[in-house]
Amino acid sequence: WGPGAAPGGAAGEALVCSRLVVAIGHNAAAFLSSFILDSVCWEVVGVGKLWNEWCRTPSTTNVLPTDSFCLFYRLISDPTVLLCQCSCYVAEDQQFQWLEKVFGCMQKEGLQVTILSTCPVADYKTQESTLTLPSPFLKALKTKEFKEHVCCPLLEQPNIVRDLPAAVLSYCQVWRIPAVLYQCYTDVIKLDTITIEAFKPLLSSKTLKSLVKDVSESTKILKKLLTTNETHNNIYI
């Protein structure tokens, strides 16, 4: 864990946090970069680097949302609001440590968590054919304590969530933290404009609506992110 080790305050001091937004995966992280984050209102307060069979973190400090890092940002005007972009894969045996590092430095009282993630539409269980579903689409899963309006339909049984999004939501359920997971089911696995924009209904949520930046600026940043990603993915023979 990089600067400040974790997004906490002084040594031994629990950070007061009112809102934590965790974007897991490239498309969710790019959504925050495009519609919420900017260098004027936000500052980086922590960096997590992981090493596992799917994640090889380079030593560079030039970090983009597509790199294998976990970045933590704090809203300058309200330091109790934190964002986390986790583009790197967190292995199953690393999830508990990740949760302890992140939530261990925060006061849990008064905290509310929003999780954004994506998964293949093929994982969605329904009596309909997944070929006829209007992909991408959002589904929500929430803890018992989350009482606010949910911006999309709830995830139906027998569907389940897995990996880090499930771990964060389960942690919040155990600690009685109000939390909601917005999962985007998509048929595109790479960074994709349509998948990123599928999260846009969340911009009207109570958690995010006060954080939204200029839409015209968002379009430029989104285009830049996709262009950068395409350049990195070129294969030369």
Side-chain angles (χ1 to χ4, degrees):
W1 293 80
E13 182 184 339
L15 181 69
V16 177
C17 183
S18 61
R19 285 181 282 174
L20 172 64
V21 181
V22 184
I24 301 169
H26 294 314
N27 283 300
F31 170 75
L32 289 189
S33 290
S34 302
F35 296 96
I36 305 292
L37 285 167
D38 62 47
S39 59
V40 177
C41 299
W42 299 86
E43 60 180 350
V44 176
V45 291
V47 180
K49 303 179 183 181
L50 285 92
W51 183 272
N52 55 53
E53 66 272 24
W54 294 103
C55 175
R56 300 290 187 266
T57 301
S59 58
T60 178
T61 56
N62 183 22
V63 179
L64 291 172
T66 52
D67 289 330
S68 299
F69 282 73
C70 193
L71 290 176
F72 296 87
Y73 297 85
R74 179 168 57 197
L75 185 62
I76 296 171
S77 61
D78 182 358
T80 69
V81 178
L82 294 178
L83 300 184
C84 170
Q85 287 180 309
C86 189
S87 297
C88 50
Y89 173 73
V90 181
E92 187 174 342
D93 59 352
Q94 296 174 319
Q95 290 170 11
F96 178 76
Q97 186 182 13
W98 191 95
L99 292 167
E100 288 294 299
K101 285 277 189 181
V102 174
F103 288 98
C105 65
M106 298 180 189
Q107 288 185 12
K108 297 176 179 64
E109 192 173 338
L111 171 63
Q112 182 168 297
V113 178
T114 302
I115 311 150
L116 314 179
S117 71
T118 59
C119 74
V121 70
D123 289 351
Y124 182 66
K125 293 178 175 60
T126 175
Q127 292 182 342
E128 301 176 48
S129 168
T130 54
L131 296 175
T132 62
L133 291 173
S135 176
F137 58 90
L138 285 175
K139 292 289 181 177
L141 197 60
K142 62 188 181 73
T143 63
K144 189 176 180 180
E145 286 72 23
F146 188 85
K147 305 298 182 185
E148 291 184 9
H149 172 71
V150 177
C151 299
C152 66
L154 293 173
L155 186 64
E156 309 92 341
Q157 293 182 343
N159 286 287
I160 60 171
V161 294
R162 53 173 61 91
D163 298 325
L164 188 59
V168 176
L169 196 66
S170 297
Y171 184 96
C172 292
Q173 179 68 45
V174 169
W175 285 95
R176 299 181 178 179
I177 300 169
V180 60
L181 164 64
Y182 290 106
Q183 182 130 286
C184 177
Y185 288 88
T186 178
D187 53 6
V188 181
I189 58 172
K190 64 179 183 178
L191 202 61
D192 169 65
T193 308
I194 298 174
T195 301
I196 294 168
E197 292 188 335
F199 287 106
K200 285 176 76 173
L202 309 186
L203 296 177
S204 61
S205 68
K206 187 175 179 180
T207 298
L208 295 182
K209 65 182 178 182
S210 63
L211 307 176
V212 181
K213 64 186 180 187
D214 182 22
V215 177
S216 61
E217 190 69 19
S218 299
T219 305
K220 293 177 187 175
I221 292 172
L222 182 55
K223 186 176 180 181
K224 183 179 178 181
L225 283 172
L226 292 169
T227 303
T228 304
N229 184 66
E230 287 170 3
T231 302
H232 286 171
N233 286 340
N234 281 342
I235 298 176
Y236 298 94
I237 300 176

